[in-house]
Amino acid sequence: MTGRPRRDPRAERAARQVGLGARPRFDLAQPPGGLSGIGPSGRPRRDPRAEQAALLVPGGDRPRLARGGTGGIGPARASAPAPVARVIRMDDPACLVVVVPDLPDGRLDRLDRQVLGAARVLADAASGAVVLLGGAGTPDLMADVGPAGADRLALVDLASDDPEYRAATVCAALAALSPRHVLFPDSDDGADLARRVAAHTGQGLMTGVEVLTARQAIRPSRAGRREQISAPPMLLTLAPDRVAPYAGEAREGRPLPVDAPPVPPGAGRIRASALRAADPATMNLAEAPFVVAAGNGVTDFALFRSVVAGLHATPGASRVVCDAGSMPRAAQVGASGTVLDAVCYLAFGIAGAPQHLQGLGRVEHVVAVNTDLHAAMVARAGLSVIADAQRVMPALRDALAAEDG
Amino acid sequence: MMATALRAVVLLSAGIDPVSGRPAPVGTEIRAIGLARALGARAIGLHAGLPVPVLREYAGYGLADIVCLDGAGADPVTALARAILSGGLFAEGPVDLVLAGRRASGGADSGLLPYAVAERLGWPIVADVAAAQRATPAGPSPELEIEQARPRGARRTARVAGPCVLSVHEVAACVPDFVFAQARAAVLRTMPAGIDGSPPLAGGAEERAYRRRPRLIAAAAQASGGRVLVDPAPQDAARAIIDHLRALGVLPPPAGS
Ligand SMILES: Cc1cc2nc3c(=O)[nH]c(=O)nc-3n(C[C@H](O)[C@H](O)[C@H](O)COP(=O)(O)OP(=O)(O)OC[C@H]3O[C@@H](n4cnc5c(N)ncnc54)[C@H](O)[C@@H]3O)c2cc1C
Ligand SMILES: Nc1ncnc2c1ncn2[C@@H]1O[C@H](COP(=O)(O)O)[C@@H](O)[C@H]1O
């Protein structure tokens, strides 16, 4: 006899049997003999699988474990009742922080949301309310402004073609609201409006603010070699991608009537027409929103040009192609060519040499067609097609032609 | 009848080079000189400040005459507006057009000065001008047709009448050639600004060396997970590319839908 307790595997198995169906079923996770957590050796038993499952953080497509924290995050989260959509109300604000968004196509764009996030920073520090000014005649906006961080929505019509009239409308609304801060996006149109308002009211304006906290605002000056620091001013424009958009619980976005005297229709000294997109085939490469480029992997340039035309894109090329004379030098993308400001870049047969990738500095989305799975361009791309460009291009041209025809 | 030449004033800020920090002409102001020439205007340079040597470089781009307003440091806006309205700049008549850069490079760089000058003059201002031409060839108050530059190569046409202020964008194609002899021959005149008072102390704004800070990473750029299709059929590849481009919004939807 060894003195160890004797196990009876048959009895242990029987103790784990669940249900009494036609086929016997056993719950092997259940500790044997009802002795919870104590193994046959007398030591507590661990179930590493269950422990791991308890550490699992919900969401995301790769499993993530919250080690080091208190266990049980996963199941606790999963079993908690879904949070009730709560709306934060601000009934008695100490002050107002006004945001004048651009609203291209009648919606808040990315920079508009960042400006709302910045306004929240200033408003929260002073228990103030964020007021979004503008947006009359854009029905989509109502549901959008609360989650983006606005307590109030002051519907004012800023859709006029006359920039002077828009500025006068904003000035009248500001006079009625007397806000503590007014924030504009530092986009072309937003900055234009902000400067008109600043010049008209005689208020100082801090343009292109890069850092904004409740106590200070920082902006570059002297050709970007120095920076100015001051308390957040009354009027400022916020540079893009500097302050995070508001991500907290939804705000009310309640309509706020503005009792400003009606602005008389201006003298109409400036008559502006609607925005006109450029012709992609001939536009300046540095400004183009969508560039399709050919590299050394492309041999049929007539085909390439027809694909570019079908995609309504601006043609580009790598240096090898320009050196060979297959594309004009003006089309060269890269360190010694043009640095792009495009939204999307589609590269046919381009390896992605460092000198070429420098030209993609600000491009957000890259699509690569290359025979080499390990090309640097494929590593940079959001969508890569590992195939012969000479076979993909005709298919692309035909698919586009079929849609149009 | 021949069109009377416009009388244009180009506002020169005498900036610094962003890389070296040495005095250098500002690109948008060089283009403002080019725009004045493209409009066939008679142009004078106007600088609120002392006659610094870098102003001669602007002259090389096509200004024979540059006026410096001495003692304007306290209030450049008032000094510039007064000089423009004084009638002392052109012997032939009043100023028709004021051209400026959209943003200086070396000062506060807020781009506010042209707006403040326009407000003081009571003239309309059109910003970010890429190109301009006269809509009416002759007449006492010239009307201009302006191409305004907008992001991603978009353009907007605007018409503005009468004396006006234009601020010129970097994408304006009208860069004049530099002529060294012109730079040497130009006359730098100094006029008293007629402003008293000392330069204002930098009001509340403290200054220090610029610190580069990371930008927020675009959420869209993070989201694209790097999908790879290995050796698909050409038709599938074409469809995948078209759908991806549509999802990004760079390719317009098909004509049929
Ligand atoms: C000082 C300096 C400055 C430079 N400046 C620039 C610059 O501004 N711009 C620039 O572009 N380059 C520049 N270069 C050159 C750069 O280093 C590379 O040589 C160049 O970018 C390579 O071009 P490429 O990718 O088209 O050609 P390659 O390097 O030959 O790559 C061809 C790619 O196409 C793929 N391919 C081949 N056949 C096919 C096919 N049938 N279908 C699909 N894919 C195929 C290959 O797998 C490969 O990835 C510079 C170099 C120097 C030294
Ligand atoms: N001291 C100055 N004298 C004349 N023009 C100026 C002066 N400062 C700025 N400007 C003009 O105003 C534009 C914008 O300047 P800023 O508002 O300082 O960014 C410049 O591009 C110049 O055309």
Side-chain angles (χ1 to χ4, degrees):
Chain A
M1 294 289 281
T2 57
R4 276 196 287 146
R6 248 192 121 115
R7 291 179 56 190
D8 179 354
R10 245 170 279 245
E12 276 173 20
R13 206 171 151 81
R16 287 170 172 188
Q17 183 161 6
V18 288
L20 292 165
R23 275 175 47 193
R25 285 181 57 229
F26 302 96
D27 179 5
L28 298 183
Q30 183 193 324
L35 266 174
S36 102
I38 308 291
S41 63
R43 279 193 291 144
R45 258 188 108 130
R46 291 181 52 198
D47 180 352
R49 246 170 275 247
E51 279 169 20
Q52 183 148 356
L55 293 178
L56 202 60
V57 176
D61 34 71
R62 271 180 37 189
R64 274 184 55 221
L65 301 181
R67 294 186 201 278
T70 53
I73 295 174
R77 277 261 177 97
S79 60
V84 189
R86 213 160 70 84
V87 171
I88 301 181
R89 295 169 60 99
M90 170 76 73
D91 281 327
D92 228 355
C95 63
L96 298 181
V97 178
V98 170
V99 169
V100 188
D102 274 342
L103 301 178
D105 330 312
R107 292 168 176 283
L108 295 171
D109 71 355
R110 205 168 88 209
L111 182 52
D112 288 341
R113 288 175 191 279
Q114 291 168 1
V115 176
L116 278 166
R120 272 270 50 104
V121 170
L122 296 180
D124 287 345
S127 352
V130 172
V131 182
L132 188 136
L133 186 69
T138 51
D140 298 351
L141 199 61
M142 291 295 255
D144 235 13
V145 296
D151 299 301
R152 302 279 190 279
L153 176 58
L155 283 174
V156 166
D157 191 3
L158 294 179
S160 166
D161 278 344
D162 182 355
E164 297 193 314
Y165 180 73
R166 296 202 311 142
T169 311
V170 171
C171 286
L174 295 183
L177 295 172
S178 51
R180 180 173 296 183
H181 301 286
V182 187
L183 283 71
F184 299 81
D186 197 52
S187 57
D188 282 353
D189 279 330
D192 181 58
L193 184 59
R195 292 188 179 113
R196 283 180 197 277
V197 170
H200 191 74
T201 58
Q203 285 279 351
L205 170 69
M206 218 166 157
T207 56
V209 170
E210 294 189 349
V211 178
L212 185 68
T213 64
R215 278 184 299 118
Q216 63 175 14
I218 305 181
R219 67 174 290 269
S221 65
R222 307 213 179 274
R225 295 167 62 83
R226 303 191 55 81
E227 60 188 23
Q228 290 176 340
I229 307 121
S230 78
M234 166 149 176
L235 298 179
L236 66 88
T237 71
L238 186 79
D241 295 335
R242 294 297 181 173
V243 176
Y246 176 67
E249 269 164 28
R251 298 275 165 167
E252 202 178 357
R254 180 204 313 173
L256 175 72
V258 185
D259 46 349
V263 180
R269 297 189 293 184
I270 304 171
R271 277 168 292 141
S273 69
L275 216 56
R276 173 160 51 75
D279 174 15
T282 52
M283 76 188 292
N284 186 353
L285 196 57
E287 285 181 83
F290 178 27
V291 178
V292 175
N296 210 9
V298 172
T299 49
D300 185 348
F301 283 91
L303 174 62
F304 170 71
R305 283 195 198 90
S306 67
V307 170
V308 175
L311 287 168
H312 304 290
T314 309
S318 77
R319 176 166 155 182
V320 179
V321 169
C322 297
D323 283 353
S326 308
M327 290 286 287
R329 182 62 73 193
Q332 181 175 324
V333 174
S336 42
T338 304
V339 177
L340 303 181
D341 188 20
V343 180
C344 181
Y345 184 67
L346 169 54
F348 285 109
I350 300 184
Q355 294 89 356
H356 187 84
L357 289 184
Q358 273 178 37
L360 306 191
R362 292 186 291 268
V363 177
E364 256 176 59
H365 305 283
V366 174
V367 179
V369 178
N370 201 308
T371 44
D372 178 7
L373 177 58
H374 303 288
M377 190 58 91
V378 172
R380 173 78 164 74
L383 171 69
S384 316
V385 174
I386 310 303
D388 187 338
Q390 263 60 238
R391 296 183 54 216
V392 174
M393 285 196 293
L396 202 52
R397 181 195 53 191
D398 295 344
L400 291 166
E403 279 181 355
D404 280 350
Chain B
M1 193 189 90
M2 250 269 300
T4 47
L6 291 174
R7 289 171 294 271
V9 166
V10 183
L11 301 185
L12 306 174
S13 72
I16 60 172
D17 185 273
V19 179
S20 69
R22 297 170 57 152
V26 180
T28 49
E29 291 162 27
I30 293 172
R31 286 169 175 80
I33 300 170
L35 193 68
R37 295 176 53 150
L39 286 167
R42 292 193 0 83
I44 283 186
L46 187 60
H47 171 67
L50 295 173
V52 285
V54 66
L55 291 173
R56 284 214 171 270
E57 292 198 37
Y58 286 106
Y61 290 101
L63 287 176
D65 189 7
I66 293 178
V67 175
C68 303
L69 302 174
D70 191 7
D75 191 353
V77 173
T78 308
L80 292 169
R82 264 193 213 163
I84 291 164
L85 289 180
S86 69
L89 292 176
F90 292 98
E92 301 86 356
V95 176
D96 297 313
L97 183 62
V98 174
L99 295 158
R102 75 194 285 256
R103 221 143 61 78
S105 164
D109 302 356
S110 64
L112 197 55
L113 184 127
Y115 289 84
V117 169
E119 180 74 27
R120 193 66 59 91
L121 295 171
W123 294 1
I125 174 167
V126 178
D128 307 330
V129 175
Q133 63 186 37
R134 293 180 72 161
T136 48
S141 97
E143 186 162 308
L144 295 178
E145 192 170 292
I146 290 159
E147 290 276 288
Q148 202 179 19
R150 279 299 171 253
R152 312 243 184 249
R155 294 285 183 271
R156 181 188 283 152
T157 313
R159 274 188 173 232
V160 56
C164 61
V165 181
L166 306 182
S167 83
V168 181
H169 198 279
E170 292 88 346
V171 301
C174 46
V175 186
D177 291 331
F178 181 82
V179 180
F180 183 69
Q182 236 168 221
R184 283 230 322 208
V187 183
L188 260 60
R189 283 191 280 153
T190 306
M191 292 198 333
I195 306 253
D196 31 59
S198 53
L201 300 171
E206 154 197 358
E207 242 190 24
R208 66 180 180 210
Y210 182 67
R211 284 187 209 157
R212 200 171 287 282
R213 298 174 184 86
R215 285 162 169 258
L216 301 178
I217 298 167
Q222 272 180 326
S224 62
R227 196 152 66 96
V228 181
L229 304 178
V230 179
D231 219 0
Q235 283 73 22
D236 298 346
R239 189 72 350 240
I241 292 173
I242 291 174
D243 291 346
H244 186 75
L245 297 177
R246 290 247 157 82
L248 296 179
V250 290
L251 189 62
S257 71

